[in-house]
Amino acid sequence: MGEKNIVVVGAGVAGLTTALLLSRNPRYKITVAAKHMPGDYDIEYASPWAGANYMPVSVRGTEAAEWDRNTWEPLADLARNHPEAGVHFQGTNIYNRGKDVSSATAAWFSELLSPTPWFKTLFDDFREIPKSELKPGVDNATYFTSVCINTAIYLPWLVSQCLKNGVVFKRAIFEHIADAAAPSVHHSGKPADLIVNCTGLSASKLGGVEDKSVVPARGQIVIVRNVAPAMFSISGTDDGPDEACYIMTRAAGGGTILGGCYQKGNWESQPDPNLAIRIMKRCVEICPELTGGKGIEHLDVIRHGVGLRPVREGGTRIEKEKINGVWTVHNYGAGGAGYQSSYGCSQAAVKLVDETFPERAKL
Ligand code: FAD
């Protein structure tokens, strides 16, 4: 049948989703090898820190918009039909303030803040919020029902789906991407025929890749036990151009994520306590229901956290090349969109794998 041995390097949302889609083809024998696995919390591992929700920031007409588009239905299907995946539907309020137009957050959110974004037709209930209902300082706003993913449930769920399809998981740290092709890595004991590179921010340092256009965009969050009635996001804050304000309540008792910031080039792994206070104040202001109209001392904090979004200038890299004689398919650099683009990006990566190993023409 022409079996192919594939090693996926990385067990974040990119590596796990790609491994899952690949594993649906019985020709592919897959080992996922990674330094960090679901259950770990580490500054080198972005996926557990994400909110995560589906709130497209990709620009109309781009490949990124196509990846986001292709991800909506799989995530909605999980929310609708597979509660064990930890994904649920939640209303989303997007607020825009004209004065934020030149801030880093507003630039990142430019499509999201539009009253007519490309993704408007994906949602049955997309609407502009009437001016009479806007909070003071908000110039325009939209509402739609999207999904929020409890990453503490969803990442292990992806692992479980892969295991069901015969994928083997192991810990490994590679100095060079081509080291993943060594016979000791794939569970067959044979060299890999192809490597999939899903190393996120580490792609900037990994030998054979060293993509210097990949940089961190630091995100700090506070996870609380308080519940928000919907998701909220706003174009900017009055506390600095790289600070942000968003709220989402995770499925199945996952707590509520209060964010945040988008600090490009900042590698700091420790929460800044002053920023944490600003985050909590902004969130309670935008959503007083969190504390029943009381102050931030009525937030019940579970944990403070910091994650580094793997931002790549020019967008996520989904390409194929031979490195040291081994075919390597890249899928890294999703920035702040790793979940909301996960199925689209992984489908594109699988296409590159399939093109490398065409099935023999039927007689
Ligand atoms: P990672 O999760 O970082 O995984 C990288 C993997 O590669 C790990 O397993 C690591 O161990 C492995 N690895 C790296 N180097 C090596 C090596 N040399 N050898 C072996 N293994 C290696 N996205 C959304 O879509 N929606 C959101 O709401 C959202 N919110 C976010 C909020 C915050 C605060 C942050 C920080 C991010 C958010 N994101 C969100 C972005 C999302 O988290 C990332 O885009 C995504 O997690 C990136 O996944 P990844 O698999 O590419 O990388």
Side-chain angles (χ1 to χ4, degrees):
M1 193 168 70
E3 287 181 357
K4 297 295 171 192
N5 294 333
I6 296 177
V7 171
V8 176
V9 181
V13 67
L16 295 175
T17 313
T18 310
L20 177 58
L21 299 190
L22 283 170
S23 72
R24 293 179 180 157
N25 184 335
R27 291 172 72 210
Y28 299 145
K29 303 298 163 195
I30 301 151
T31 298
V32 175
K35 183 173 177 185
H36 303 96
M37 291 282 176
D40 299 347
Y41 282 90
D42 194 285
I43 195 64
E44 293 179 357
Y45 188 28
S47 293
W49 299 110
N53 65 11
Y54 182 92
M55 237 175 46
V57 287
S58 51
V59 175
R60 185 189 292 272
T62 60
E63 263 186 321
E66 212 41 45
W67 297 328
D68 287 351
R69 179 187 297 283
N70 293 340
T71 302
W72 171 247
E73 200 38 55
L75 290 180
D77 176 58
L78 292 178
R80 223 178 275 125
N81 301 316
H82 302 275
E84 70 278 14
V87 181
H88 71 165
F89 289 112
Q90 216 176 12
T92 312
N93 298 277
I94 311 288
Y95 296 154
N96 186 29
R97 308 187 310 174
K99 67 176 174 180
D100 295 324
V101 70
S102 56
S103 74
T105 309
W108 168 38
F109 277 8
S110 60
E111 182 85 22
L112 182 68
L113 297 170
S114 156
T116 53
W118 65 261
F119 55 81
K120 148 181 196 172
T121 50
L122 287 185
F123 305 102
D124 301 333
D125 60 350
F126 184 98
R127 65 181 171 93
E128 269 197 81
I129 300 176
K131 290 248 183 280
S132 58
E133 292 173 27
L134 298 180
K135 289 179 190 266
V138 175
D139 295 308
N140 62 287
T142 55
Y143 176 90
F144 52 93
T145 301
S146 185
V147 293
C148 177
I149 301 164
N150 182 345
T151 63
I153 295 178
Y154 184 60
L155 294 170
W157 180 82
L158 285 172
V159 172
S160 73
Q161 301 307 295
C162 287
L163 288 169
K164 208 157 78 176
N165 290 351
V167 176
V168 174
F169 286 81
K170 53 163 80 172
R171 298 268 180 172
I173 302 176
F174 303 105
E175 295 290 321
H176 193 286
I177 189 67
D179 295 345
S184 57
V185 179
H186 194 268
H187 62 275
S188 63
K190 295 184 183 142
D193 298 303
L194 184 144
I195 297 165
V196 185
N197 172 25
C198 299
T199 52
L201 186 56
S202 301
S204 61
K205 298 176 182 163
L206 179 64
V209 185
E210 288 167 293
D211 185 340
K212 296 303 172 207
S213 66
V214 181
V215 294
R218 181 177 180 275
Q220 181 169 326
I221 53 167
V222 185
I223 308 184
V224 297
R225 292 188 179 82
N226 309 60
V227 175
M231 296 193 274
F232 295 86
S233 198
I234 188 160
S235 55
T237 77
D238 294 332
D239 296 323
D242 60 3
E243 296 200 14
C245 177
Y246 59 87
I247 301 170
M248 63 191 89
T249 297
R250 285 176 166 177
T256 298
I257 304 289
L258 310 181
C261 60
Y262 192 83
Q263 298 171 328
K264 244 176 156 179
N266 187 339
W267 293 80
E268 177 55 56
S269 64
Q270 295 307 302
D272 168 351
N274 296 316
L275 173 54
I277 289 173
R278 294 197 294 277
I279 288 172
M280 292 189 281
K281 283 189 91 157
R282 293 191 295 250
C283 288
V284 166
E285 203 180 308
I286 205 174
C287 177
E289 296 93 329
L290 271 173
T291 50
K294 296 179 179 165
I296 64 168
E297 60 278 17
H298 292 273
L299 287 171
D300 187 355
V301 176
I302 302 169
R303 179 186 321 128
H304 294 268
V306 175
L308 302 179
R309 304 174 181 91
V311 172
R312 180 169 180 270
E313 306 298 340
T316 308
R317 184 177 181 201
I318 302 183
E319 282 173 8
K320 175 175 96 159
E321 65 172 326
K322 260 193 178 166
I323 301 178
N324 292 3
V326 187
W327 276 117
T328 304
V329 169
H330 299 287
N331 178 6
Y332 66 82
Y339 285 85
Q340 64 202 23
S341 65
S342 56
Y343 284 88
C345 288
S346 298
Q347 285 160 5
V350 169
K351 194 163 169 239
L352 294 179
V353 175
D354 290 344
E355 281 169 16
T356 313
F357 305 125
E359 299 221 37
R360 259 187 246 124
K362 294 203 171 73
L363 294 176

